Amino acid sequence: MAGVRPVSTQVRTLSGPPQDGGADGDAGQVTGELLELALGYVYSAALHTAARLGVADHLVDGARTAEELAKATGVDGPHLYRLLRFLATKKVFREDEEGRFHLTALARPLCTDNERSLRDYIKVRGEAAFWESAGHLHDAVRTGTTAFEGLYGVPFYDYVATEHEFGRAFNSSMAAFSEALSNEIAMACDFSAARSVVDVGGGRGGLLRAVLRRNPHLTGTLFDLENVVAGHVLDIPETSGRWTAEPGDFFASVPTGADVYLLKHVLASWPDEQCLDILGSCRRAMPAHGRLLAINAMIPAGNEPHPSKTIDMLMMTVLNGKSRTRAEYEALLSTAGFRATGFLEPSPHASVIEAVVAS
């Protein structure tokens, strides 16, 4: 009928990205997206809970109802159903028409025996040390300090060293995260001209193990704090007789004379001044022909999401470190007396800058 505008039958939602509707998009969708961001911590809490309960482990052999899972995990059935239904909206688990929940691609890394399990990593990030620190991000931004130290009165790594149960869980979680990257880094980097390697701040040795397994001509030294290297994972048949685990403080010194020095996810944990101290220890230990491989997630240009930007917020809450751009890392290396000679990006979580001692 002339003059009468038809009523739209399109269903509007309060979630999802803004569509083409001017500079700010559709107002309802913008509101929904902003509210989704404001409540993002609820998704984190749900994921931490599922990891803590070990739900994924009970789905390895097939789909189960929430009630069956509740009996297996010792929790309340209706509450667990609501939790899993919520996580299914993010494709972590999937509910079928019979009300049974299935593993998905996103849920499989929550399984304990998965080759790339992230269960320990996710569980620990739900502990109070991380959760409370994130809740005080505003204090960190206001004061230019670290939220964790304001809450707990000590630096994060001091807390890890003295709170033994948390420390074991944290070190295990970092090993689990590292395991997913170590093979990619070991495959990407060329060690053919080297005979020895030192993994500085190498945790339990996941990266060193991967490097030694792929390079049977190499010997290696794992170097980290005593309580960390005590839990090393190097004692496997493929590396027999080719490794040592040496405790120490990389601010003071590191093992000398190796062909290659690895610094994986170390520099991002510290401010520039401490990074220069660590790099200074490496420079003093390296022979003239030595190489340094600095491995960190690096911030790219632009507004797109990137793991390094998320890590940067984590650093602001629990550590006094920060994510950096490639240019910032190269400038840091230059100040410490190194010259960058190469760059690789085997993973968004792990870019590699190769450097040598500047002449």
Side-chain angles (χ1 to χ4, degrees), residues 186-200:
M187 289 174 61
C189 298
D190 181 8
F191 294 93
S192 59
R195 290 296 176 267
S196 58
V197 59
V198 175
D199 193 357
V200 178

Side-chain angles (χ1 to χ4, degrees), residues 25-97:
D26 180 87
Q29 290 177 334
V30 168
T31 298
E33 185 177 13
L34 191 59
L35 291 176
E36 192 87 350
L37 287 172
L39 294 172
Y41 64 91
V42 181
Y43 290 107
S44 297
L47 187 62
H48 295 146
T49 300
R52 185 185 298 273
L53 295 176
V55 171
D57 287 339
H58 295 284
L59 294 175
V60 171
D61 294 328
R64 304 176 76 173
T65 66
E67 198 61 44
E68 291 170 333
L69 290 167
K71 289 178 181 177
T73 57
V75 299
D76 181 77
H79 274 59
L80 182 61
Y81 172 76
R82 292 161 64 185
L83 178 89
L84 298 178
R85 178 179 61 186
F86 180 61
L87 286 172
T89 68
K90 293 296 185 182
K91 299 182 180 179
V92 181
F93 307 115
R94 176 179 64 83
E95 183 183 9
D96 63 25
E97 293 179 354

Side-chain angles (χ1 to χ4, degrees), residues 157 200 223 225 248-254 266 269-271 273-282 284:
Y157 282 122
V200 178
F223 184 79
L225 297 174
D249 178 1
F250 53 40
F251 289 114
S253 65
V254 302
V266 172
S269 298
W270 301 96
E273 184 178 351
Q274 278 73 31
C275 285
L276 292 175
D277 289 339
I278 298 167
L279 290 169
S281 293
C282 294
R284 290 189 296 272

Side-chain angles (χ1 to χ4, degrees), residues 145-200:
T145 58
T146 304
F148 179 89
E149 291 188 33
L151 286 170
Y152 288 83
V154 295
F156 179 77
Y157 282 122
D158 288 357
Y159 182 84
V160 168
T162 56
E163 296 292 326
H164 300 300
E165 184 176 346
F166 176 82
R168 282 192 295 271
F170 174 74
N171 291 329
S172 175
S173 77
M174 291 305 297
F177 175 68
S178 177
E179 189 71 24
L181 299 175
S182 294
N183 287 332
E184 295 175 9
I185 297 167
M187 289 174 61
C189 298
D190 181 8
F191 294 93
S192 59
R195 290 296 176 267
S196 58
V197 59
V198 175
D199 193 357
V200 178

